[in-house]
Amino acid sequence: MAQIRIARRVLTECIEAMAFPILLLSILIAPVSAPVVAEADRSRARWCGVETMPLKPSDHSWAQWVALRLRSRSMWRTDLPVLVTAVPLSALSLLVAFFGFIGAAALVFSPVFWLFGIAAQVGPFTPESVGETLLAMPAGIILGAVTTTVLTGASFLRDFLLRAFSRSRDPDLVAKLEELRTSRASLTAAFEFERQRIERDLHDGAQQELVAVVMRLGMLEATAAAAATDQERIVRLARQARAHAERALERLRDTVRDIHPRELSDLGLIAAVRELAARSPLRVELTSTGDDTQLSSQTATAVYFTVSEALTNISKHADVGSARIDLRCATTDVHVRVHDDGVGGARIDTGSGLAGLRERMRSVGGNLEIISPQDGGTLVVASAPSQPPW
């Protein structure tokens, strides 16, 4: 394991050496380039085994995130120093890697070059006999080891500086805390929105039907008491009460299904989405591939309600009568795309159903993206790992 980490450090230093011209040019557009270079350095540190957290949220584009970082004081305290120190360190790695590895290779292969009549010169040393070329081989191995050691040291120096610049207020943790606060606020708003929806569905649906049932039963009782011979009115009121009770039962079933569908628990995600498409007022073209047995309950539920909310929004706002669903389940993850050719212009607003779904997808390690240009239709793309990362 230690050898693998050393190899990774040497490889990343060689990459940093090759990136030296880019880093040098990035100085000209600093501080815009500073967050990008610093985030890349954090990724390098994680790949080398150092515990660092990315600052860029997964749902932000690089342009959005850089714009946010430029307004943050921690960028000047953390990102910009990383950029400034990365340039001389990359120059050092370039010189060490170029001359060290090339010199080591020339010394190790000196006997081979000598066979072709070439005296491989390394610095002041030029072999003048076969014996000297043979003696150059261990010197080349030593030079390669020294070069590897220096590059590894440069990598450790990068880690030290990265931690030193982040130590003042631990901006990694601060950024994560800000992201968690935003996510918590979004979840709170989404849960409140969902509670209001359930209350509204119960009040406007099942409750009204049950009130009508009570009224009809009261009228039925009064009619039966006043005129026992009026059988036709009694039968009509009884039928009306039964019809209202049946509608109330159906609306209660719909509300319960919206909270958590039984098909999802009993039959799995694909069957539940298929049932959802069949109940939708839209003409839904469903394509499903893969096996959903590996999906966790949390992931399957998040994806199901994403599809449900997308179909609801299409039927309410898209001004179109059809939709397409592409559901792909794999051993490691699940992807779903819901597309319509409607009016477009959908947005993920704070407190909306889509905002709540995005937070739900994030809670299982996934993501939700909306592509909805004006008059260009709407594409809802959601993905998540089969098992949540927690």
Side-chain angles (χ1 to χ4, degrees):
M1 191 65 180
Q3 291 83 352
I4 294 177
R5 289 186 177 179
I6 291 176
R8 286 183 175 182
R9 289 187 178 279
V10 173
L11 177 59
T12 53
E13 283 305 309
C14 290
I15 295 174
E16 295 278 0
M18 291 185 289
F20 171 70
I22 299 176
L23 289 173
L24 196 59
L25 291 175
S26 67
I27 292 289
L28 301 177
I29 57 173
V32 175
S33 59
V36 179
V37 174
E39 188 72 4
D41 197 47
R42 283 185 281 268
S43 299
R44 175 206 60 80
R46 284 195 304 275
W47 197 61
C48 293
V50 179
E51 292 186 2
T52 60
M53 290 183 294
L55 298 187
K56 175 182 171 297
S58 58
D59 61 325
H60 283 48
S61 67
W62 281 100
Q64 292 175 328
W65 180 68
V66 169
L68 290 175
R69 289 295 289 172
L70 288 175
R71 295 194 294 269
S72 172
R73 288 181 296 177
S74 62
M75 191 281 296
W76 304 94
R77 187 174 55 249
T78 303
D79 295 350
L80 193 60
V82 170
L83 172 62
V84 172
T85 56
V87 175
L89 284 175
S90 294
L92 174 64
S93 297
L94 177 61
L95 294 174
V96 172
F98 182 78
F99 291 105
F101 285 136
I102 290 181
L107 291 174
V108 170
F109 292 102
S110 287
V112 178
F113 294 145
W114 185 267
L115 290 176
F116 289 93
I118 301 174
Q121 181 179 1
V122 178
F125 172 74
T126 303
E128 297 180 354
S129 65
V130 176
E132 290 184 359
T133 60
L134 295 175
L135 292 175
M137 293 179 65
I141 296 174
I142 294 174
L143 179 59
V146 171
T147 302
T148 300
T149 302
V150 174
L151 292 177
T152 304
S155 180
F156 278 112
L157 180 57
R158 290 179 191 271
D159 297 342
F160 172 78
L161 294 173
L162 182 64
R163 287 192 295 265
F165 296 140
S166 304
R167 191 171 296 157
S168 56
R169 285 190 57 191
D170 207 355
D172 285 3
L173 294 180
V174 171
K176 279 297 180 183
L177 180 60
E178 291 175 356
E179 183 179 352
L180 288 174
R181 285 174 177 169
T182 303
S183 178
R184 184 177 65 180
S186 298
L187 279 174
T188 301
F191 288 154
E192 182 63 26
F193 175 82
E194 189 65 14
R195 284 193 293 268
Q196 292 176 0
R197 185 192 66 80
I198 294 174
E199 187 275 335
R200 185 172 58 252
D201 289 346
L202 290 174
H203 181 274
D204 298 339
Q207 180 174 311
Q208 295 296 327
E209 297 294 343
L210 289 174
V211 169
V213 170
V214 172
M215 293 178 60
R216 290 294 187 277
L217 290 176
M219 295 171 62
L220 179 62
E221 180 182 5
T223 301
T229 57
D230 195 355
Q231 297 293 328
E232 182 179 350
R233 178 172 171 78
I234 293 175
V235 170
R236 184 173 68 254
L237 290 173
R239 287 175 177 172
Q240 291 175 349
R242 185 181 67 179
H244 282 293
E246 289 175 349
R247 284 197 293 269
L249 181 60
E250 183 63 28
R251 293 198 177 189
L252 278 175
R253 286 172 177 169
D254 291 339
T255 301
V256 171
R257 185 183 292 112
D258 288 340
I259 296 174
H260 190 83
R262 180 171 295 275
E263 297 89 355
L264 187 60
S265 302
D266 296 343
L267 303 176
L269 176 62
I270 294 178
V273 172
R274 187 176 293 115
E275 175 67 18
L276 183 65
R279 289 189 288 106
S280 174
L282 303 168
R283 297 187 307 275
V284 180
E285 178 185 345
L286 172 61
T287 302
S288 59
T289 57
D291 182 11
D292 60 5
T293 58
Q294 301 297 322
L295 298 180
S296 67
S297 174
Q298 297 86 351
T299 299
T301 301
V303 174
Y304 174 86
F305 282 107
T306 297
V307 176
S308 176
E309 183 71 17
L311 292 179
T312 300
N313 288 342
I314 292 172
S315 62
K316 288 182 178 180
H317 309 298
D319 194 21
V320 70
S322 61
R324 297 187 297 278
I325 302 174
D326 180 16
L327 176 61
R328 180 170 61 84
C329 300
T331 304
T332 57
D333 54 15
V334 57
H335 296 265
V336 65
R337 297 163 61 92
V338 183
H339 185 257
D340 69 79
D341 297 322
V343 296
R347 296 290 181 269
I348 301 181
D349 298 322
T350 302
S352 68
L354 288 176
L357 290 175
R358 180 178 62 183
E359 296 305 322
R360 174 174 280 184
M361 293 301 299
R362 287 178 178 175
S363 71
V364 296
N367 193 30
L368 177 69
E369 182 182 2
I370 306 293
I371 303 173
S372 184
Q374 289 291 342
D375 300 324
T378 299
L379 175 63
V380 179
V381 182
S383 61
S386 299
Q387 301 295 326
W390 32 266

